[in-house]
């Protein structure tokens, strides 16, 4: 069976558990009485062990408590057409997995109608969003730091190609006040000048387009073929079937057709930043 996001995550979790006990692959395969090649395929997600096999692996490794429960949540529904975690342990696993997919990405496409796409957000912008959410104030600095660290994939020697589509309304949201928004717009101008970043603004005037339906991301990675990620309030829906991913690829092309060019987008953002800086009023006053 083909790799799925969940099989890749499960395999990686099993591999990390084995490495955490400092056991070589062949040594551990001998203890399990399994062919090392099969164990290797389990750890890469190319094949998937049954839940009872996962339980045995964890027992032999001496994995207990929360770590055991977290990994076992991944052992069920591995080849389902979608992954929508409902329990806290699985949501945590999915978040860890999403970061791994980002780190191994060759191309990322994000469509966000109302906010600046995540990879291009500034620390103050992120902090302002979190301060209005149900997050304890003392947790915000660490969460901001985590998000900023994730953006470092754009700075590496061979960064992924990022294509970001943001609704014009995102530029006028009063996130953190005029100073924060001016800084955010300046940051977008700087980032859009990079060769690996294509930033497009979708104008108000174009009417309905697929990007208004939801925020979603397509990630091409070294793990498996392209995967679609659709954000919800509590978790993220992962889709990997060609049929489902193709629907989101068509949506991207629909958004692309009505978007400004990268040059026009950069010019628009730069001019808005200037107007906002000169007037020092909330951005929605300039819409």
């Amino acid at each position: 069976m083909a790799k799925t996001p969940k099989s890749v995550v499960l395999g990686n979790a099993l591999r990390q558990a084995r490495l955490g006990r400092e056991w070589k692959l062949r040594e551990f395969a001998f203890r399990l009485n399994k062919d090392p090649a099969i164990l290797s395929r389990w750890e890469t997600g190319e094949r998937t062990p049954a839940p009872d096999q996962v339980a045995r692996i964890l027992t032999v490794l001496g994995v207990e408590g929360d770590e055991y429960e977290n990994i076992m949540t991944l052992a069920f529904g591995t080849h389902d057409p979608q992954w929508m975690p409902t329990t806290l342990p699985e949501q945590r696993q999915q978040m860890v997995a999403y970061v791994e997919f980002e780190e191994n990405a060759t191309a990322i496409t994000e469509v966000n109608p109302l906010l600046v796409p995540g990879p291009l957000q500034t620390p103050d912008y992120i902090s302002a969003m979190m301060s209005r959410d149900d997050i304890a104030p003392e947790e915000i600095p660490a969460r901001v730091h985590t998000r900023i660290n994730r953006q470092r994939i754009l700075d590496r020697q061979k960064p992924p190609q990022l294509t970001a589509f943001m609704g014009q309304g995102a530029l006028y949201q009063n996130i953190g006040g005029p100073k924060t928004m001016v800084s955010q717009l300046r940051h977008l101008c700087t980032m859009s000048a990079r060769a690996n970043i294509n930033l497009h603004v979708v104008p108000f005037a174009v009417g309905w387009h697929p990007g208004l339906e939801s925020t979603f991301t397509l990630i091409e990675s070294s793990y498996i073929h392209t995967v679609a990620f659709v954000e919800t309030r509590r978790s993220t829906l992962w889709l990997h079937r060609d049929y489902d991913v193709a629907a989101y690829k068509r949506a991207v092309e629909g958004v692309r057709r009505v978007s400004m060019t990268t040059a026009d987008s950069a010019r628009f953002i730069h001019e808005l930043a200037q107007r906002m800086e000169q007037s020092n009023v909330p951005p929605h006053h300039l819409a």
Side-chain angles (χ1 to χ4, degrees):
M1 300 180 73
K3 285 184 180 181
T4 70
K6 203 169 185 181
S7 71
V8 170
V9 176
L10 171 61
N12 186 61
L14 294 176
R15 180 174 181 273
Q16 293 304 319
R18 174 177 61 80
L19 293 177
R21 275 66 179 177
E22 299 184 347
W23 282 6
K24 302 291 186 182
L25 180 69
R26 288 189 174 277
E27 176 190 359
F28 186 50
F30 177 78
R31 288 176 179 267
L32 288 174
N33 194 28
K34 289 289 182 183
D35 186 330
I38 291 178
L39 186 57
S40 177
R41 293 189 187 101
W42 284 350
E43 291 188 355
T44 59
E46 294 174 12
R47 293 183 64 177
T48 307
D52 63 313
Q53 293 171 321
V54 175
R56 180 164 180 262
I57 289 171
L58 299 179
T59 299
V60 173
L61 286 172
V63 175
E64 300 176 330
D66 289 345
E67 184 182 7
Y68 181 93
E69 295 298 328
N70 289 342
I71 296 176
M72 282 304 300
T73 62
L74 299 171
F76 300 91
T78 314
H79 289 279
D80 288 351
Q82 60 188 34
W83 183 14
M84 182 73 168
T86 56
T87 65
L88 185 58
E90 195 173 9
Q91 288 170 353
R92 288 171 177 163
Q93 285 283 10
Q94 192 192 63
M95 189 65 248
V96 172
Y98 187 85
V99 173
E100 290 179 3
F101 270 78
E102 281 184 329
E103 291 176 347
N104 288 275
T106 54
I108 300 173
T109 302
E110 181 170 333
V111 177
N112 200 321
L114 294 176
L115 294 171
V116 171
L120 302 176
Q121 294 172 356
T122 64
D124 287 343
Y125 186 94
I126 297 169
S127 180
M129 287 194 303
M130 291 184 175
S131 67
R132 295 297 181 93
D133 207 344
D134 56 351
I135 300 173
E138 61 271 16
E139 294 181 16
I140 292 177
R143 292 198 181 203
V144 172
H145 180 71
T146 297
R147 286 204 184 186
I148 295 302
N149 273 344
R150 287 169 55 189
Q151 296 176 358
R152 291 180 179 175
I153 61 171
L154 298 174
D155 299 326
R156 66 191 186 201
Q157 189 172 4
K158 291 184 178 180
Q161 187 69 37
L162 173 65
T163 302
F165 297 91
M166 57 186 298
Q168 184 177 342
L171 304 174
Y172 295 98
Q173 297 286 350
N174 189 22
I175 308 294
K179 184 177 180 181
T180 294
M181 286 305 299
V182 168
S183 177
Q184 176 63 78
L185 296 183
R186 295 294 188 198
H187 181 66
L188 289 175
C189 292
T190 299
M191 297 298 284
S192 66
R194 294 191 181 188
N196 66 308
I197 296 177
N198 296 312
L199 177 61
H200 298 268
V201 174
V202 188
F204 285 134
V206 300
W208 183 90
H209 58 84
L212 293 175
E213 294 176 345
S214 65
T215 297
F216 66 90
T217 304
L218 298 176
I219 295 184
E220 299 176 39
S221 73
S222 56
Y223 279 156
I224 59 175
H225 53 76
T226 306
V227 178
F229 305 86
V230 185
E231 292 188 19
T232 72
R233 177 65 176 168
R234 299 298 297 170
S235 60
T236 303
L237 170 65
W238 290 30
L239 301 167
H240 63 89
R241 289 193 311 183
D242 291 343
Y243 176 82
D244 292 322
V245 172
Y248 282 92
K249 287 183 176 180
R250 289 194 299 271
V252 167
E253 292 311 309
V255 176
R256 192 189 306 274
R257 283 193 293 270
V258 299
S259 298
M260 297 181 190
T261 65
T262 54
D264 287 344
S265 297
R267 189 178 306 111
F268 184 88
I269 295 170
H270 174 72
E271 291 174 357
L272 178 59
Q274 285 188 316
R275 290 169 56 205
M276 203 178 296
E277 200 165 32
Q278 292 166 2
S279 62
N280 195 35
V281 298
H284 60 280
H285 288 182
L286 302 175

